[in-house]
Amino acid sequence: MVKGLMITHGKLGKELLDVAEKILERKVDVTHIPFDWQGDGSDMLRQIERFIHAHRDCDIVIFTDMFGGSPANIATRFVGPRIEVVSGINLPGLLKFLSWQERAINFKELIKRIEQEAKDGITAMSAYLGEKKHD
Amino acid sequence: MIEKKLQIINKLGLHARAAAKLSHLANMYKADVFLIYNGDKVNAKSLLGILTLAASVGNEITIQARGSDAKEAASAIAELFQRKFDEES
C-alpha cells in the first residue's frame, strides 16, 4: 500500500487534490498538510512525523511544490528506502500517482512514472501545434 | 485484434474528466487498448496520453484492442462514447 502526503506553500496542494477529485469523480487518499507561513516549520515537521509513524508499514510519497522551498526542504529530511519526496508536483504527476496508488507496482517504478508524467505534462503549446502542422 | 471507429458526440470532447473515465474503464481490462486520432496513437489506459490527442466533438477516433478480452473492452469503450461519457442527458 502506498500513502500520499501533500505539502505545499499555501493552499496549492489542497487545490490540486480538490481538482483531482473532481476529475476522477472520487475521493482520493492523499493527506494534505498546510504550510504555516508564520511558523518556523516545526509544526509541519511534527505533523509529517505523526503521518509517517501512523503509516510505518506503508511506502510513502511526499509531494511538494518546489525544489528548495521550505516544504520540500523539510520533507527531504525523511527520504529513505520507503519514503520518497517528489518536488514540483503538478496535476499530471498527481493523477499518475492516483491511477497507480492501489496497484501492485514496485515503489521505485511508481516514483519513476510519476516523475516522467509530471515532466511530460509541461508543454509549450506553440511547439506542440508546430509539430502537429508538420505531420 | 479488434478495431472500431468511434465518433465523439459529447460537447466537451476528450477533456480531463472524460479522459479519466475512459482510462479507468480501459484499465479494467487485460487487453492492450489504443486510441488513434490524427496520426497519433496513444495508450487508452493513460489519462495524459488520451488528453494529448486533443480530440473534440465531431472527431472520429479509431480504437484498437488486443488481448483475451479485447472485444469486451472495445464494446465497453464504444458504449461510453455513445453515452457521451455520462455528461449529458
Side-chain angles (χ1 to χ4, degrees):
Chain A
M1 185 64 187
V2 184
K3 290 287 177 184
L5 189 59
M6 177 71 80
I7 311 166
T8 59
H9 294 90
K11 293 177 183 165
L12 190 57
K14 179 76 174 65
E15 290 295 330
L16 272 175
L17 292 170
D18 286 350
V19 172
E21 287 191 341
K22 287 208 169 62
I23 290 173
L24 299 174
E25 297 183 338
R26 64 175 169 89
K27 287 278 164 207
V28 301
D29 181 18
V30 176
T31 301
H32 173 248
I33 296 179
F35 177 65
D36 176 11
W37 292 96
Q38 312 301 328
D40 59 0
S42 56
D43 185 49
M44 177 179 262
L45 197 61
R46 275 195 298 276
Q47 288 189 65
I48 299 172
E49 282 170 345
R50 274 203 294 275
F51 181 90
I52 290 171
H53 182 71
H55 301 100
R56 55 193 175 280
D57 297 331
C58 304
D59 293 318
I60 296 172
V61 187
I62 306 177
F63 297 105
T64 70
D65 52 3
M66 188 166 63
F67 187 100
S70 293
N73 289 344
I74 292 169
T76 302
R77 300 179 198 179
F78 297 95
V79 169
R82 301 196 68 179
I83 302 175
E84 184 58 273
V85 174
V86 175
S87 65
I89 192 63
N90 56 13
L91 198 51
L94 178 62
L95 290 171
K96 187 56 131 186
F97 169 74
L98 295 169
S99 305
W100 287 89
Q101 182 179 13
E102 287 171 12
R103 294 193 231 170
I105 177 176
N106 176 278
F107 187 53
K108 280 199 165 63
E109 179 61 29
L110 172 69
I111 299 299
K112 238 192 267 175
R113 289 187 189 197
I114 296 166
E115 188 183 16
Q116 195 58 52
E117 193 87 342
K119 286 177 180 172
D120 289 349
I122 298 170
T123 305
M125 293 310 280
S126 58
Y128 173 77
L129 292 170
E131 272 174 32
K132 287 265 161 196
K133 278 177 195 161
H134 293 128
D135 279 348
Chain B
M1 188 185 69
I2 305 287
E3 192 167 303
K4 270 181 196 278
K5 287 194 190 304
L6 303 173
Q7 188 92 11
I8 298 176
I9 54 173
N10 63 312
K11 281 183 197 155
L12 296 172
L14 288 184
H15 64 116
R17 273 170 292 138
K21 281 182 186 167
L22 209 170
S23 63
H24 180 72
L25 184 62
N27 271 298
M28 291 165 71
Y29 296 89
K30 286 185 200 135
D32 292 322
V33 187
F34 297 95
L35 301 177
I36 303 163
Y37 169 66
N38 204 17
D40 290 329
K41 182 174 178 176
V42 300
N43 186 348
K45 296 184 180 185
S46 161
L47 198 165
L48 197 68
I50 297 169
L51 288 176
T52 59
L53 292 178
S56 320
V57 61
N59 294 148
E60 190 178 73
I61 302 265
T62 302
I63 174 172
Q64 277 181 358
R66 190 181 286 120
S68 56
D69 54 3
K71 199 175 165 188
E72 290 82 356
S75 298
I77 289 169
E79 199 186 305
L80 184 66
F81 274 69
Q82 273 300 316
R83 294 203 315 265
K84 301 180 178 177
F85 297 88
D86 300 323
E87 290 171 353
E88 301 161 36
S89 51

